[in-house]
Amino acid sequence: MRGRKLEVDWQEDEQTLYELYKQERDHQNRTHLQALWLLRQGHTEKEVAQVVGVHIRTVQRWGSWYRE
């Protein structure tokens, strides 16, 4: 299973998400932003889950949260 790319109407560009991720000091928020940044780059949900160390369902939940 290769995973799927998240389809999102992004509000921020890739660079903005990267800057937000790098500036964030709260570990949990930083992880969320890192995941969104990686998704924005085009990585699959599965790849992102492996990189940030969470279950794929968590990445899917974060993606759903962002879309809302």
Side-chain angles (χ1 to χ4, degrees):
M1 181 176 168
R2 292 181 16 203
R4 64 183 176 97
K5 291 185 179 179
L6 185 66
E7 293 186 24
V8 174
D9 183 20
W10 293 99
Q11 301 300 310
E12 292 87 9
D13 62 20
E14 184 180 325
Q15 185 63 34
T16 301
L17 282 171
Y18 178 75
E19 292 300 326
L20 291 170
Y21 155 63
K22 295 303 279 183
Q23 294 172 9
E24 182 60 55
R25 296 295 168 228
D26 179 78
H27 177 70
Q28 186 175 12
N29 290 339
R30 186 176 167 95
T31 302
H32 293 175
L33 288 166
Q34 180 184 19
L36 290 172
W37 171 59
L38 291 168
L39 288 168
R40 182 70 169 98
Q41 287 182 309
H43 294 278
T44 65
E45 292 170 331
K46 183 178 179 181
E47 291 169 337
V48 172
Q50 290 172 340
V51 169
V52 300
V54 298
H55 194 275
I56 190 171
R57 296 277 187 216
T58 302
V59 174
Q60 291 168 340
R61 208 170 51 245
W62 293 343
S64 294
W65 169 83
Y66 183 84
R67 282 191 297 260
E68 292 176 10

